[in-house]
Amino acid sequence: MTTRIRTTHVGSLPRTDALLEANAAHAAGALDDAGLAAVVTAETDAVVARQVATGIDIVNDGEYGHFMAEKVDYGGWWQYTFDRFSGLEIVTELPERRPTPAGKLELDAMGARRDWTTFADAYSDPTSGIHLATMKAPVWPTVTGEIRFTGHEVVTRDVEATLAALAKAGKPVSDGFIASISPAAAARIGNYYYEDDEAAVWAWAEALREEYRAITDAGLTVQIDAPDLAESWDQFIVEPSLEDYRRFSEVRIEALNHALEGIDPALVRYHVCWGSWHGPHSTDLGFDKIVDLALAVNANGLSFEAANARHEHEWRIWKDIVADGALADGKYLIPGVVGHATNVIEHPELVADRIERFAAAVGPERVVASTDCGLGGRVHPHIAWAKLEALAEGARLASDRL
């Protein structure tokens, strides 16, 4: 009997010229909301159809409705929040921050990462290919007022566009997902309004639950983008103790679960990554140190990096997790088996080998093959789609072997 390994990806796909032009025109006031919505809907139709034709089973809108970079003028991947939440500003001078309460860690999300400091010569060398990581923006995103969800029309646009595209492609609603930021990831936007970082996280949780609901009430899966769980480790200027960091993270998992309350975990997948910049990642925290926290999220699917040179070896932890009975019923893995941090296109045989490791560790029925992170903007569009083709072909090879 053949076990077919299904495929997906993490979310961001290459933007089309039509989408880029429409967003630029909208930002300039030359295209109204209805005109932008028409372009987003048309391009969503096309990107869903292309995913299906490529052999991707569980598809999304390419995050085409999230592309608002020209409005924000800051390169954060969470930039779409400015289109959907109140209380956010871009400032050129940072206000004075309240002191951190005694005994609590406070993230310096805009500070230099320890990896950047360790390899400062490489990051500052324009010939290294990674120097962009150290460029400082002249502006900062900040929370200066009450965080409230204001994006009802925009998320409805994205949901309806995805549902229509799925129908046209002959796909069931259950094969569609839309990404949304985690409360802790959103709270890395500098807080100058709430009492402390913890209060800001809970405010984001209250606001984000409305977006999560809008997606899942339509029958689509919500992917919670949570680079914060692993990546924040490298955003403290002084490395914290593991115990302190876990306490810091546990509060944020609790807030996320509050935001997910009442949502069927079968309609939730949780994405963990270590940041998508191209660099050494020498100070990444091992997944084994936090995987139990990731599994504590009220989400059946767990998406994580497993194809890059810093984390590929971590597939072994799943053998122990299964042996300990720590992989609850209904939970399944969405490991990355092609990467976003290299222009090399993975050979389908390698993709199949990676899939088979996870299948052997947790059972093939608990594996959905994916990418490490979003491909849009991180590799050339032609390469991005070729990587998805390699993913689909590798899954076919693995399925035949299994």
Side-chain angles (χ1 to χ4, degrees), residues 264-268 299-302 327-333 365-366:
D264 184 352
L267 292 177
V268 186
N300 278 5
L302 176 57
L327 192 60
D329 290 345
K331 295 273 190 180
Y332 63 95
L333 307 186
E365 71 284 354
R366 288 193 190 232

Side-chain angles (χ1 to χ4, degrees), residues 78-86 88 181 186 189 204 208:
W78 35 257
Q79 58 214 5
Y80 89 103
T81 57
F82 279 75
D83 206 42
R84 304 179 191 219
F85 298 87
S86 70
L88 302 177
I181 196 169
I189 296 172
W204 277 107
L208 278 161

